[in-house]
Amino acid sequence: MSNAPGTSKFQIDLRRHLRAQNICDNLVHLMCEIAEASKYVINAVRTGDLGVAGTSNLYGEEQLALDVLSDRIMRKRLIHSGVVCNIASEEMDEIYQCQASADGLYSVAYDPLDGSSLVDVNLAVGTIVSIYAGCDLLQPGRNQVAAMYILYGPRVSLVYTVGDGVHEFTMNNLMEFTLTRENVKMAAEGNIYAPGGLRNKYNAGDEKFIRHLEEKGCKLRYSGGFVPDINQVLMKGKGLFMYPALNGSPNGKLRVLFELNPMAFIIEHAGGAASNGSIPILDIVPESLDQRAPIYIGCREDVKTATAFVNGGKQEVKMEGSFVNG
Ligand code: AHG
Ligand code: MN
Ligand code: MN
């Protein structure tokens, strides 16, 4: 993308960058509306009530006031955008229909505030968004037309893909998102890992994989927030996040529609991979809004190694780091 005379690449704002993508105006408008809504979520995170809302979500998890407020901010913005057909939220029990017709419209699945329980200890949290053309939200993630997340950390950043590269924007002092990284790419293999879930509930294959990573000298980097943990693997371009099946929770914890599909779409378009241990996350055909799946996501060689261990294919690690195939 060439810059207009006198402007550096860092003055390219989100709307301008989206307009240079081969996408229709309605999608540009929708993604800019989501970016605008995130500014109200930021305000809620920074100053809002940290208490419980007295309600629970689809998963029976207690909702925080911030979950409910962030969800309301996102939903209102999507409804008033005029280009949304159906909405699904991690915080809503069922699909919300904005408009019946699907022509030229989009459907959105989102997690309005992922990691909300981390806000009261001042750790980074985020909003995760998955966008499909038309009105069907129970499609394989590979059919997404766009995926994005907003990370509320020391800086506020927004990362998106519409299938042609992964691009990062950072919020400036005027609360505008300006381009800071373009066409982010991941290495084939990395040296950091983010192991979610209770280790004493890991299956043998996952335990062996973690030992393999430790023997390789990989560094453990886990904050408990899916968005900052994925962002770290993506922006450092080297590493893997996992939230495996656990004893008692064969599908792990993370949600296919609201968390796994958008992140898998972004990571794959940065040259990485995302698997449930058997098939790519993006090939899962969701059967329900609340479907969960185990996930191994990040550098493609690391994901390949993880799935081999999970499927019993890697027995011992030879000293020189190559494996004895079982
Ligand atoms: P949410 O706050 O939307 O429910 O998501 C929390 C998720 C995700 O952010 C993170 O990867 C995972 O919970 C951490 O789970 P554990 O606390 O079990 O590690
Ligand atoms: Mn979440
Ligand atoms: Mn959430």
Side-chain angles (χ1 to χ4, degrees):
M1 163 163 220
S2 61
N3 302 328
T7 64
S8 79
K9 127 171 158 173
F10 294 98
Q11 290 171 2
I12 296 173
D13 71 6
L14 177 64
R15 185 181 300 277
R16 181 161 164 226
H17 197 267
L18 284 166
R19 282 201 173 134
Q21 304 288 324
N22 183 23
I23 58 177
C24 78
D25 291 350
N26 279 358
L27 185 53
V28 172
H29 172 62
L30 174 56
M31 294 174 77
C32 289
E33 283 297 286
I34 292 167
E36 278 306 301
S38 73
K39 297 175 184 176
Y40 295 87
V41 175
I42 295 164
N43 192 43
V45 166
R46 288 186 175 150
T47 59
D49 170 5
L50 299 181
V52 295
T55 53
S56 60
N57 63 15
L58 196 54
Y59 313 89
E61 295 161 343
E62 184 174 58
Q63 289 175 307
L64 298 177
L66 277 180
D67 286 322
V68 175
L69 177 53
S70 306
D71 184 52
R72 194 181 310 137
I73 290 167
M74 289 294 291
R75 186 169 60 247
K76 276 177 65 180
R77 184 64 77 145
L78 292 174
I79 292 167
H80 295 298
S81 71
V83 295
V84 173
C85 176
N86 284 327
I87 294 175
S89 162
E90 187 187 274
E91 303 305 336
M92 289 195 301
D93 293 350
E94 53 200 26
I95 287 177
Y96 181 100
Q97 185 183 70
C98 303
Q99 300 187 46
S101 78
D103 298 347
L105 300 185
Y106 296 91
S107 287
V108 183
Y110 64 91
D111 181 350
L113 194 59
D114 180 86
S116 50
S117 58
L118 300 172
V119 172
D120 65 351
V121 290
N122 206 16
L123 283 175
V125 292
T127 298
I128 312 170
V129 183
S130 170
I131 302 175
Y132 293 90
C135 54
D136 181 7
L137 279 164
L138 287 178
Q139 303 185 44
R142 206 164 292 286
N143 296 350
Q144 292 171 89
V145 293
M148 60 198 287
Y149 63 80
I150 299 101
L151 173 54
Y152 313 116
R155 293 168 184 264
V156 177
S157 60
L158 180 151
V159 172
Y160 89 82
T161 185
V162 291
D164 182 11
V166 173
H167 316 292
E168 179 202 54
F169 295 75
T170 302
M171 184 176 277
N172 64 19
N173 56 348
L174 301 174
M175 292 195 89
E176 298 157 336
F177 283 111
T178 57
L179 184 66
T180 39
R181 283 185 176 97
E182 200 172 32
N183 295 315
V184 178
K185 284 292 175 213
M186 299 193 71
E189 196 172 349
N191 64 0
I192 63 176
Y193 66 105
L198 292 175
R199 288 286 295 282
N200 63 359
K201 294 191 171 184
Y202 272 31
N203 296 319
D206 290 303
E207 203 43 58
K208 282 190 185 133
F209 176 55
I210 295 288
R211 276 216 303 282
H212 154 70
L213 295 175
E214 289 167 343
E215 282 157 10
K216 249 179 72 173
C218 293
K219 284 178 283 186
L220 192 159
R221 291 288 183 271
Y222 188 74
S223 78
F226 189 47
V227 179
D229 288 344
I230 291 289
N231 188 67
Q232 174 170 217
V233 164
L234 174 61
M235 295 306 165
K236 288 193 186 304
K238 49 182 183 176
L240 165 131
F241 173 99
M242 62 191 277
Y243 204 111
L246 303 173
N247 293 331
S249 313
N251 292 317
K253 173 181 182 180
L254 299 178
R255 282 73 40 152
V256 174
L257 264 70
F258 310 114
E259 295 160 327
L260 305 189
N261 273 341
M263 290 308 198
F265 196 64
I266 289 169
I267 291 291
E268 278 207 8
H269 282 288
S275 169
N276 67 357
S278 307
I279 62 169
I281 292 289
L282 295 180
D283 294 336
I284 295 174
V285 181
E287 287 160 13
S288 64
L289 291 179
D290 63 349
Q291 187 165 335
R292 301 172 196 256
I295 184 163
Y296 305 84
I297 181 170
C299 295
R300 57 186 180 278
E301 289 305 316
D302 293 340
V303 172
K304 204 163 110 186
T305 305
T307 52
F309 272 98
V310 167
N311 295 297
K314 299 278 181 187
Q315 297 309 323
E316 298 304 325
V317 176
K318 278 195 209 161
M319 284 319 288
E320 61 274 17
S322 60
F323 305 105
V324 175
N325 277 314

